[in-house]
Structure formats: C-alpha cells, structure tokens
Amino acid sequence: MLKGKVAVVSGSAQGLGKAFTHILLENGAQVAMLDVNHVMGQELQVQLNHQYGSDRTQFFKADVSSDQQFTDVFQEIISKFGHINIFCNNAGIADEKNWEKTVSINLSGVVRGTYLALDHMKKENGGNGCVIINVASLAGLGPFPSAPVYTATKHGVVGFTRAISMASQVSGYGVRINALCPSFVRTTLIDSFKQEDKTGQFYNLVSLTQSLIDKFTLIEVEQVAKAFLHLIKDESVNGAALVVKSEGAAYVTFPKEVETTPISL
Ligand SMILES: NC(=O)C1=CN([C@@H]2O[C@H](COP(=O)(O)OP(=O)(O)OC[C@H]3O[C@@H](n4cnc5c(N)ncnc54)[C@H](O)[C@@H]3O)[C@@H](O)[C@H]2O)C=CC1
Ligand SMILES: CCCCC/C=C\C=C\C(=O)C/C=C\C/C=C\CCCC(=O)O
C-alpha cells in the first residue's frame, strides 16, 4: 500500500526507528535511514538490502541537532530518491545531565526536520498525500518527574505538532502532521534511567522510574510500529496525538477550552 512512496526516518539505526523502517519496507515504501551512528546504520543497511532488495533503503549519516548536516543530508536524500512522502522525526535521547543536548536533539531537531520536510512537501509534491510523524512520548502529555527536561522537550513536540498542523491546514499545504506518544518501550533508551551520567541530579528517583515502568509495563517496538503505520494511513487525522500503551493505542481528546479554577485577587 506504500509502493512508490519514499519515507525518511531519523534515529533509525536501532530501537523504534529501526522498527518503523521495517514496517515501511514491509508495506512497499523505500526508506532513507538517517542516524548519527553510522556504524549501526550501515550494518542495518546491509541487513535490509539482503532482506528487502538493494534499491529499497539507503543510510545517511547526520546529526539532527546540526542545521548544516540535516540540510545537506536532506538534499542528498532528494537527489537519491527524487521526492519524499513520509517524514518521521524520531531521533531522541534522554540525558538530564547534558540537558541542553536533549533540547537540541529532541525539540530543535524535530522543528528542523519538520520545516525541511514541509518546505519540500508543499512545493515539490503539490501538497498531496504527504505526512509528517513526530515521535513524542507519554511524557509529552504528563509529567515524568525523573526527567523534567525530557518531559519539556516532549511537551514541546506535542505543542509544536498541534500548532504547525493547523498552520499547514489553514495554509493549504496538504501535509498532515501528527504526534506519536508511546509509554515505555523496550529499547536501549530505557537503560538511561539507571545511569547517573544521564539522570544527573535526578539519580535519586531511580525507584520512582522503576515503579512507573512497572505500572505501564514495557511495550515492544513492533506494537508502536503498528500505531505508526496507522497514523500514516489514517488520512482523517491532522494535529493528533496517538498514545500507545500496553493495552492498546488511542487518540488524545484535547479540550476545546482549557479548564480553569478562578481565584479572587
Ligand atoms: N524507549 C522508550 O521508552 C520511548 C522512546 N520514545 C522516543 O522514541 C524515539 C526513539 O527512541 P528509542 O528508539 O527508544 O531510542 P534508541 O536509543 O534505541 O534509538 C535512538 C536512535 O536515535 C539516534 N540518535 C540519537 N541522537 C541523534 C542525533 N542527534 N541525530 C541523529 N540520530 C540520533 C541514535 O543513534 C539511535 O540510533 C525518541 O524520540 C524517544 O524519546 C518515546 C516514548 C518512549
Ligand atoms: C534521563 C533518565 C530517563 C530515562 C527514561 C528512559 C526512557 C523514557 C522514555 C519515555 O519516553 C518515557 C515514557 C513514558 C513517560 C512516563 C510517565 C509519564 C506520565 C504521564 C502520565 O501522567 O500519564
């Protein structure tokens, strides 16, 4: 069903991005994989070439926190594949110690990728049938106390996605932009919560994180990939946030008006 479509997935050398790449390939798309980890990225490309054929994927090394690298690689991808229909901003880290890096990758990287993709999709593709998926988290909808800056970046991704999707609709770009909000997923990112060089001043909250993981239970990347595919196919949604938990996937119902409690001044 995605034959003839070209997809770009950032952070695709492992974890969720790798699972998104697999499901896109299984459904007929070509995939440009983008990651800062070129060793893992190139190894994966060799494996995928065997599995799906050599013309289906290409790995591109880039750091999404670098304007220059992201822009240059974007142009390389267009030169190789001609056009892009699906763009997934997935690359992300959890590092409260180096929190500015977390903001640069998780939030600025998503804004950068969305603007590059929008600019191409609205001009080159005539604004038809294109979709951007921004990977946020359940921590983009509620507080994750062990990782306040990670929480902030993911709330930022949800807010940015809701606003830019409305701008896209009002401007008639013909590009849908949605957010994916998984709870804890079994990937290497999860290991960060036990590492003091990642948790920094919140290392004392390790047991709180463990209790949250136990409450939500770890989900598998394949389950999130199915929700990702649903967001690509569901042409009725724009500006949506799709939550993925162990019990299933569900769209968030955002209030039309924020509920407030008046105070007297
Ligand atoms: N694992 C989890 O529990 C959850 C993860 N997420 C989000 O899903 C996304 C993917 O995470 P995972 O697959 O779990 O992590 P992961 O650590 O398994 O994979 C992340 C990939 O992103 C790449 N990457 C990191 N920084 C990069 C940069 N500056 N430029 C390009 N690539 C970069 C890494 O090299 C790696 O291949 C992230 O945005 C994460 O915040 C959301 C909810 C839950
Ligand atoms: C820096 C240490 C943190 C390491 C954690 C590792 C990965 C976390 C990935 C996530 O995206 C977290 C997923 C879910 C957030 C959990 C709780 C939010 C609560 C939301 C709610 O109130 O419903």
Side-chain angles (χ1 to χ4, degrees):
M1 69 136 312
L2 299 178
K3 203 163 169 26
K5 306 278 186 201
V6 176
V8 180
V9 182
S10 75
S12 48
Q14 60 183 326
L16 282 168
K18 179 176 166 181
F20 298 159
T21 300
H22 270 286
I23 206 160
L24 286 162
L25 290 168
E26 282 158 14
N27 281 272
Q30 289 178 289
V31 185
M33 299 185 291
L34 187 160
D35 205 292
V36 72
N37 187 334
H38 66 281
V39 174
M40 289 194 80
Q42 276 160 354
E43 274 173 15
L44 181 59
Q45 189 187 328
V46 171
Q47 185 196 316
L48 296 176
N49 283 352
H50 282 300
Q51 199 171 343
Y52 298 97
S54 57
D55 58 336
R56 302 284 304 284
T57 52
Q58 182 153 337
F59 174 73
F60 298 84
K61 181 182 184 295
D63 181 339
V64 299
S65 68
S66 158
D67 247 335
Q68 190 67 56
Q69 288 185 31
F70 211 166
T71 306
D72 288 351
V73 150
F74 194 88
Q75 287 316 317
E76 277 182 56
I77 294 171
I78 307 273
S79 303
K80 159 81 186 169
F81 291 100
H83 64 281
I84 297 167
N85 309 91
I86 300 160
F87 197 93
C88 175
N89 287 298
N90 165 72
I93 60 167
D95 189 341
E96 293 297 312
K97 199 156 190 178
N98 194 350
W99 61 264
E100 282 157 315
K101 184 176 176 189
T102 301
V103 175
S104 304
I105 295 172
N106 293 14
L107 182 55
S108 307
V110 169
V111 173
R112 203 167 276 127
T114 303
Y115 284 164
L116 282 168
L118 253 188
D119 197 41
H120 166 74
M121 287 168 168
K122 71 185 185 208
K123 280 198 302 208
E124 305 293 320
N125 287 357
N128 276 325
C130 292
V131 58
I132 299 173
I133 292 168
N134 292 332
V135 180
S137 162
L138 200 58
L141 300 164
F144 179 20
S146 328
V149 172
Y150 182 84
T151 299
T153 62
K154 296 303 184 177
H155 274 66
V157 170
V158 172
F160 173 70
T161 302
R162 294 179 68 197
I164 193 70
S165 59
M166 285 172 93
S168 174
Q169 189 191 344
V170 173
S171 309
Y173 292 163
V175 182
R176 296 183 294 111
I177 309 156
N178 295 300
L180 191 58
C181 300
S183 71
F184 297 98
V185 190
R186 196 186 310 279
T187 69
T188 54
L189 190 83
I190 285 292
D191 302 338
S192 325
F193 92 92
K194 285 185 181 154
Q195 298 165 358
E196 197 164 3
D197 63 326
K198 292 289 191 304
T199 56
Q201 63 187 302
F202 305 106
Y203 187 63
N204 62 319
L205 300 182
V206 164
S207 57
L208 170 66
T209 309
Q210 186 63 63
S211 62
L212 279 170
I213 295 174
D214 293 343
K215 175 184 154 194
F216 286 108
T217 72
L218 280 182
I219 53 177
E220 305 299 332
V221 291
E222 291 79 12
Q223 187 183 344
V224 186
K226 282 184 192 162
F228 166 77
L229 185 66
H230 183 91
L231 269 183
I232 292 172
K233 288 188 193 166
D234 187 351
E235 293 188 359
S236 70
V237 294
N238 182 42
L242 183 61
V243 168
V244 191
K245 291 187 189 169
S246 53
E247 59 265 36
Y251 284 117
V252 177
T253 310
F254 290 105
K256 291 236 179 308
E257 211 174 307
V258 175
E259 272 187 38
T260 55
T261 307
I263 56 161
S264 51
L265 296 174

